[in-house]
Amino acid sequence: MCSTEECSHGLKNCIYVFALVGHLSMHRHKQRAGKEGQVLHRSKRGWVWNQFFVIEEYTGPDPVLVGRLHSDVDSGDGNIKYILSGEGAGTIFVIDDKTGNIHATKTLDREEQAQYTLTAQAVARDTNKPLEPPSEFIVKVQDINDNPPEFLHGPYYARVPEMSNVGTSVMQVTATDADDPTYGNSARLVYSILQGQPYFSVEPQTGIIRTALPNMDREARQEYDVVIQAKDMGGHMGGLSGTTEVKITLTDVNDNPPKFPQSVYPMSVSEDKVPGEEVGRLKAKDPDLGDNGLVNYRLIDGDGMSMFELTTDSETREAVIKLKKPVDFETKRSYTLKVEGSNPHVDPQFLAWGPYKDEATIKISVEDADEPPVFVAPSYTFEVEENAPEGTLVGRVHAKDTDVANNPVRYMIPRYTDVEQFFSINSEDGMITTTRPLDRETQAWHNISVSATEIGGHHQDTKVRVNIKVKDVNDNPPEFATNNEVLMCETVAPGKVIETVSAVDKDEMAHRQHFTFSLAPEVAHNHNFSLKDNRDSTASIYDVYYLPIEINDNGFPAMSSTNTLTIRVCSCDSKDTILSCNVEPYVLPAGLSTGALIAILACIVILLVVLFVALRRQKKEPLIVFEEEDIRENIITYDDEGGGEEDTEAFDIATLQNPDGANGFLPRKDIKPELQYPIRPGIGRPAANSVDVDDFIKTRIAEADSDPTAPPYDSIQIYGYEGRGSLAGSLSSLESVTTESDLDYDYLQSWGPRFKKLADLYGTKDCSVNDGDDGEDS
């Protein structure tokens, strides 16, 4: 055992160096004895070594004594020399070659190298010859607690479902200690939680983290920062420690049912909205995540289920209420819907926390809109007979304003649907009438539109289709179906059918209606041919020559016509094959003889002559009856100097005052009116013998302005040429100043207020005209 000085200089435990002292081998003594007495003894091992120990991290002032080497051949006289070789020899470990003491010259770290293998040998100091064979020994570095525990993989991240039971494992953390786990407690670790109570705990020996509180709610808190400590020396005081951080996240479970923020949702929709338009949105709140927070919506009750539909917005997960059918403010003004929101994915573990659904009520009010009028029928079909006179009633359409205001409706026919304007409509009552006779054979159907507009509204209109059928009247005579010539042989035998004719009619053929055929009266007694009515709307022609045929359609009223059948006489061979025909056919005109045609032409010539003579006479007569006795006959406006009283184109006032026309319409000579309208009532006419010319002119101007057939021409003749002179002379006031007239103008006093100034100038002969007033009075 080592001495006190050889103990580790203040270390708590002494280092025991066990050295088995080497002895000289018995073989050497026996060899020596053999030489002397030949006595053999068993050889004895010269070196016996144990392992040496040296404490790590020694920081004392002197080198640490590791151990001492000693050979049994060493007599202490200094003739033996000890040699050390191997790992660290001469650098870390040194030996005293006389005493055999081994020292460590450097601080050793067990974590770098736990042991060293060395070789010791004793040699003669003077010859360096080995006295003993070399022998190996081990120097072990003894561990001290100089390394704290370490968490090599931190920080850690863990997840655990919310609402987990107490003790649910979250994860395991593990620390490592570089100290020797086989020596003492330097590497004996104990785990504890420094941060994260009371939510989590850690097992001291294993480092497993577990939940420590029940019902941890993710919706209240989702993440936790936990700090775990590992301490060596079994957790006792003086041990080293290390820490790591663990971030624990609570994962979501479906532990919350959906909930509508409101129990009642008010919405509104205008009655002019079309199906498919959005009315409103609502959404149930669910704090869960992903599929756990998914909400499905459906309509479960309410009087509006047939009028509205529900869809789900895939992005916002909102319930969208849309219009399914048009709503009408005047019919129903509010609807109620009940909506349910539910979770499609329910966790069986939390079924008792349910139900996982909620309900809300939607109240939808219908807003009034200014809607266009609505026709009482989707379309109209009327009938009117052809050839009906203008103004014939076709039918009536009717539309009404469905709004609360119930405004009156105005009707019109869009002209693009009735381009030729066959029809007109009363704008107030919707009565459709004709504007002219209709011809079924020209157009059997008229398809027009009628537009209805609300008076006082937003000028919205509604159109309806009106189909008008023109009913047939038997107004077209029948005629031959074909106008082909008939070829016959000149040698045809009497009584042989040479042709069968048929007829067509532009009018509609009623049931059982057929055509009858007969010969025209002028050929009824001609014995060269005959006709047989087959009573099936055809007739057979017998014998030869030229044939006017009368066709009757037995309609109501019956219509008939005479059609001429053209027959050519041809030469034929013995087999009745036509060889050649005459160039000119023999034709009898249908119903008219040659004498009748001549008479008609003569009448036409006579009429033309009479018309020509009448026109010539009309040009020579003046337009107005001229009377010289009355100066009021001529009221003339001159743009230039005219010809006076001998102008013959002036109108006759006497004619204009014709009492025969006082109660009726006086035709105009300057234009030809297209329509005749009565003069508006309430316009008075002056008596024939009235002398108030001013009232007379006003009356004539009013009649001209109210004449609906032509622009308002005044009954005043404009002269554009010079006349030969006037008995009255000039009416110019300039000439009357210097020339005295013998004419008496007193009658101007009775012509009314418009002629008062003229009467004052010329009515009194003694009146003198001042030069200074000429400009003012003229």
Side-chain angles (χ1 to χ4, degrees):
M1 188 174 65
C2 66
S3 62
T4 304
E5 292 85 1
E6 294 173 346
C7 289
S8 59
H9 298 284
L11 295 177
K12 294 181 179 180
N13 299 321
C14 293
I15 301 176
Y16 295 90
V17 180
F18 297 95
L20 297 179
V21 179
H23 297 280
L24 293 175
S25 65
M26 293 301 295
H27 174 70
R28 185 175 301 170
H29 291 285
K30 288 179 180 180
Q31 187 177 15
R32 186 181 302 119
K35 291 180 180 180
E36 294 178 357
Q38 297 295 321
V39 177
L40 298 176
H41 297 280
R42 183 178 177 182
S43 298
K44 184 180 179 181
R45 185 175 179 183
W47 294 91
V48 177
W49 304 97
N50 246 341
Q51 62 183 1
F52 296 94
F53 294 91
V54 60
I55 193 168
E56 68 171 336
E57 303 293 345
Y58 174 72
T59 59
D62 299 323
V64 177
L65 177 63
V66 176
R68 181 179 181 183
L69 300 180
H70 182 71
S71 174
D72 57 355
V73 297
D74 185 4
S75 58
D77 54 5
N79 293 326
I80 295 177
K81 179 181 178 182
Y82 295 98
I83 300 173
L84 186 66
S85 63
E87 294 178 323
T91 56
I92 299 176
F93 303 101
V94 295
I95 188 170
D96 187 341
D97 59 352
K98 292 181 180 180
T99 63
N101 291 332
I102 303 173
H103 291 83
T105 61
K106 294 182 178 181
T107 300
L108 302 180
D109 187 0
R110 189 199 69 85
E111 286 71 39
E112 290 183 3
Q113 187 167 345
Q115 64 182 20
Y116 297 87
T117 302
L118 298 172
T119 301
Q121 190 175 20
V123 298
R125 184 176 297 275
D126 53 353
T127 62
N128 284 333
K129 291 183 178 180
L131 298 179
E132 294 289 343
S135 180
E136 287 185 354
F137 65 94
I138 296 174
V139 177
K140 282 192 173 183
V141 181
Q142 190 175 1
D143 182 52
I144 64 172
N145 190 19
D146 61 342
N147 291 281
E150 292 183 355
F151 292 92
L152 302 179
H153 303 290
Y156 296 89
Y157 297 89
R159 299 164 66 88
V160 63
E162 64 174 332
M163 299 296 172
S164 296
N165 296 327
V166 175
T168 300
S169 175
V170 178
M171 73 172 302
Q172 183 179 14
V173 294
T174 303
T176 61
D177 195 321
D179 295 324
D180 188 359
T182 62
Y183 179 77
N185 294 327
S186 297
R188 184 183 169 203
L189 305 181
V190 175
Y191 299 94
S192 62
I193 183 168
L194 301 182
Q195 177 180 317
Q197 300 97 338
Y199 307 103
F200 299 94
S201 64
V202 64
E203 292 183 354
Q205 305 302 326
T206 62
I208 297 176
I209 302 173
R210 300 182 182 274
T211 58
L213 280 182
N215 302 327
M216 286 193 293
D217 190 4
R218 183 199 66 82
E219 288 73 35
R221 182 178 177 182
Q222 183 174 357
E223 293 185 350
Y224 297 83
D225 291 328
V226 178
V227 177
I228 301 296
Q229 174 185 266
K231 189 174 183 181
D232 58 13
M233 299 298 293
H236 294 141
M237 185 178 296
L240 302 178
S241 65
T243 61
T244 187
E245 183 178 354
V246 182
K247 291 185 177 293
I248 300 176
T249 301
L250 299 183
T251 59
D252 184 65
V253 298
N254 190 8
D255 59 338
N256 293 281
K259 183 70 176 176
F260 286 104
Q262 301 172 218
S263 59
V264 178
Y265 288 84
M267 298 180 183
S268 62
V269 59
S270 178
E271 63 176 337
D272 60 355
K273 298 297 183 181
V274 298
E277 292 200 38
E278 182 178 319
V279 177
R281 294 180 174 226
L282 69 161
K283 185 178 182 180
K285 301 261 183 177
D286 191 329
D288 296 324
L289 299 178
D291 291 343
N292 296 325
L294 191 64
V295 180
N296 288 347
Y297 304 94
R298 67 188 183 101
L299 297 176
I300 59 176
D301 196 9
D303 58 0
M305 294 186 65
S306 62
M307 305 300 293
F308 302 91
E309 61 184 354
L310 185 147
T311 61
T312 302
D313 191 319
S314 60
E315 295 183 0
T316 63
R317 305 305 304 173
E318 294 175 305
V320 182
I321 307 298
K322 293 184 178 181
L323 190 63
K324 187 177 180 181
K325 296 180 180 178
V327 293
D328 185 12
F329 175 81
E330 289 71 29
T331 303
K332 187 173 177 61
R333 300 189 179 185
S334 65
Y335 295 89
T336 301
L337 294 173
K338 186 169 284 187
V339 181
E340 178 189 82
S342 61
N343 288 140
H345 305 288
V346 179
D347 192 337
Q349 183 180 353
F350 304 101
L351 279 177
W353 295 24
Y356 286 87
K357 60 184 178 180
D358 193 22
E359 296 178 358
T361 300
I362 302 175
K363 293 188 177 296
I364 303 175
S365 60
V366 181
E367 297 179 347
D368 189 22
D370 187 11
E371 299 175 291
V374 176
F375 283 94
V376 297
S379 62
Y380 294 87
T381 301
F382 301 124
E383 293 183 350
V384 61
E385 288 190 351
E386 68 173 326
N387 303 325
E390 172 190 344
T392 299
L393 177 64
V394 176
R396 181 187 180 189
V397 298
H398 180 62
K400 59 182 180 179
D401 180 17
T402 58
D403 297 323
V404 176
N406 194 20
N407 292 324
V409 176
R410 185 182 303 278
Y411 303 92
M412 66 169 291
I413 298 175
R415 281 303 147 210
Y416 65 87
T417 66
D418 183 21
V419 178
E420 299 185 27
Q421 301 184 14
F422 287 108
F423 306 95
S424 64
I425 188 170
N426 189 306
S427 62
E428 296 179 358
D429 58 16
M431 291 289 188
I432 301 175
T433 56
T434 61
T435 60
R436 72 185 81 167
L438 305 177
D439 184 11
R440 188 203 69 85
E441 287 71 41
T442 302
Q443 188 171 349
W445 283 88
H446 294 266
N447 301 314
I448 66 173
S449 294
V450 173
S451 173
T453 305
E454 176 186 345
I455 300 177
H458 292 81
H459 304 290
Q460 301 181 81
D461 68 333
T462 302
K463 294 182 177 59
V464 70
R465 187 76 170 178
V466 179
N467 305 311
I468 302 173
K469 179 183 179 180
V470 182
K471 297 173 62 176
D472 185 48
V473 173
N474 195 21
D475 58 347
N476 290 279
E479 56 188 16
F480 282 141
T482 61
N483 293 320
N484 296 335
E485 295 180 341
V486 177
L487 305 179
M488 73 173 190
C489 296
E490 58 184 351
T491 59
V492 64
K496 182 179 180 180
V497 177
I498 62 173
E499 183 69 15
T500 298
V501 295
S502 61
V504 293
D505 196 330
K506 294 180 181 178
D507 297 318
E508 290 181 341
M509 294 291 291
H511 184 62
R512 295 183 179 179
Q513 185 175 353
H514 62 278
F515 300 114
T516 59
F517 299 84
S518 62
L519 297 178
E522 61 268 23
V523 296
H525 302 290
N526 192 323
H527 299 290
N528 290 327
F529 52 84
S530 62
L531 179 143
K532 178 184 178 182
D533 189 344
N534 297 326
R535 300 187 180 279
D536 60 354
S537 295
T538 65
S540 300
I541 309 300
Y542 293 85
D543 218 326
V544 295
Y545 300 125
Y546 331 110
L547 194 59
I549 299 174
E550 184 177 280
I551 309 174
N552 192 299
D553 61 5
N554 82 327
F556 183 80
M559 297 291 292
S560 64
S561 66
T562 300
N563 294 258
T564 301
L565 182 65
T566 303
I567 302 173
R568 289 183 184 274
V569 179
C570 305
S571 60
C572 305
D573 57 12
S574 59
K575 296 181 180 180
D576 291 336
T577 301
I578 296 176
L579 299 178
S580 63
C581 299
N582 56 345
V583 178
E584 294 295 333
Y586 294 96
V587 179
L588 290 180
L592 292 176
S593 63
T594 304
L597 291 175
I598 295 174
I600 292 174
L601 292 176
C603 292
I604 293 174
V605 172
I606 293 173
L607 288 175
L608 291 175
V609 172
V610 172
L611 180 61
F612 177 75
V613 173
L615 291 175
R616 291 291 300 272
R617 290 181 179 178
Q618 185 177 2
K619 291 182 178 180
K620 292 181 179 181
E621 295 178 356
L623 295 176
I624 302 176
V625 177
F626 182 82
E627 293 181 8
E628 297 181 357
E629 290 80 11
D630 194 349
I631 193 171
R632 292 172 298 171
E633 292 170 0
N634 294 314
I635 300 173
I636 302 169
T637 298
Y638 289 93
D639 291 332
D640 55 279
E641 195 67 30
E645 291 182 299
E646 293 192 9
D647 290 340
T648 59
E649 294 299 321
F651 287 118
D652 187 1
I653 289 182
T655 302
L656 297 176
Q657 293 178 340
N658 183 8
D660 295 336
N663 296 324
F665 177 77
L666 294 177
R668 302 174 60 91
K669 293 185 179 181
D670 50 355
I671 65 169
K672 180 180 179 181
E674 295 180 359
L675 299 174
Q676 297 293 337
Y677 291 88
I679 298 177
R680 298 181 183 177
I683 301 177
R685 293 179 178 271
N689 297 324
S690 174
V691 294
D692 192 344
V693 178
D694 185 31
D695 291 341
F696 172 76
I697 291 175
K698 288 181 178 179
T699 301
R700 299 306 294 162
I701 292 176
E703 289 179 357
D705 290 340
S706 62
D707 186 353
T709 63
Y713 298 117
D714 295 333
S715 23
I716 298 173
Q717 182 67 28
I718 306 301
Y719 290 93
Y721 58 90
E722 290 289 338
R724 290 193 296 269
S726 173
L727 297 178
S730 174
L731 294 180
S732 172
S733 61
L734 298 176
E735 184 179 354
S736 61
V737 175
T738 58
T739 305
E740 294 185 1
S741 175
D742 297 330
L743 296 178
D744 185 4
Y745 295 102
D746 290 339
Y747 61 87
L748 293 175
Q749 297 289 346
S750 62
W751 278 24
R754 290 196 177 185
F755 296 91
K756 185 175 182 304
K757 182 66 67 178
L758 191 63
D760 292 340
L761 293 175
Y762 299 100
T764 304
K765 295 182 180 180
D766 296 337
C767 180
S768 60
V769 180
N770 191 306
D771 293 340
D773 295 336
D774 288 346
E776 183 179 357
D777 295 337
S778 59

